[in-house]
Amino acid sequence: MARRSGHRRGDRWYGLVVALIAAVAFVATLNLPVGPGVAAEGEGTAAATPAPARFDCDVAAITDGDTLRCADGTRVRLHALAARERDETCSPGHPCPEASGAAATAALRRLAGGLAISCERTGRSYDRITAVCWTPAGEEINCAMLRSGTVVVWDRYNRQRPLCQGTALS
């Protein structure tokens, strides 16, 4: 009988060890990278694999006044700018321009819609690359959007990598 009791105690220990190993394995898998990271222009965590500093973008769509999509699927958020959302709101904690989101979207569409632009990566914001971009003629799109009056500069990020370098804002 004593042997049977010891056997049950051994089963309990075996079960505890298996549960502990399973718990450690589960926690370990939660910390494994599963794709590109999200480092922010203020949001998310550090990127697992940095994108090239310079890249070309064939603009396929304008999402809103500060975001566009390249033909290869890359989403680009214009560095250091804030525009109203499509529903005309401003996100909490973000600078908020007076101009409408529709006006900002139209301005970005006029500047970059359908063009092959070049961009300089500055970071990531959620699932978008943040970047300063230029038209084929060499005009800085971020700076042109500021001049349009439809977006405002986000000082926090502009201090990290200033817009309109070598150009007056007015």
Side-chain angles (χ1 to χ4, degrees):
M1 194 72 115
R3 185 173 182 175
R4 194 176 239 180
S5 176
H7 182 66
R8 287 184 189 152
R9 187 176 301 154
D11 286 347
R12 259 190 238 146
W13 279 109
Y14 178 77
L16 287 173
V17 169
V18 169
L20 181 62
I21 291 170
V24 169
F26 176 74
V27 170
T29 60
L30 292 177
N31 292 312
L32 291 176
V34 291
V38 181
E41 238 190 48
E43 302 115 9
T45 60
T49 308
R54 290 271 185 175
F55 62 96
D56 293 327
C57 170
D58 293 325
V59 179
I62 304 298
T63 305
D64 58 25
D66 58 19
T67 306
L68 55 87
R69 184 179 300 272
C70 304
D72 67 2
T74 302
R75 293 184 62 210
V76 178
R77 185 183 194 298
L78 296 177
H79 169 75
L81 297 181
R84 285 186 177 268
E85 302 300 327
R86 283 191 260 175
D87 65 1
E88 300 302 338
T89 63
C90 291
S91 297
H94 293 205
C96 191
E98 290 184 25
S100 71
T105 302
L108 185 54
R109 191 169 282 122
R110 281 190 301 275
L111 281 166
L115 295 180
I117 64 174
S118 63
C119 299
E120 174 187 305
R121 181 185 188 279
T122 60
R124 292 189 65 82
S125 175
Y126 295 102
D127 60 345
R128 303 168 294 185
I129 292 174
T130 57
V132 177
C133 299
W134 293 267
T135 66
E139 179 180 23
E140 184 185 309
I141 295 168
N142 304 52
C143 190
M145 286 298 293
L146 278 173
R147 283 195 306 267
S148 77
T150 61
V151 299
V152 292
V153 71
W154 198 330
D155 289 327
R156 174 180 171 190
Y157 301 111
N158 194 49
R159 283 191 296 273
Q160 294 170 3
R161 197 299 189 180
L163 301 178
C164 307
Q165 293 181 353
T167 327
L169 277 176
S170 48

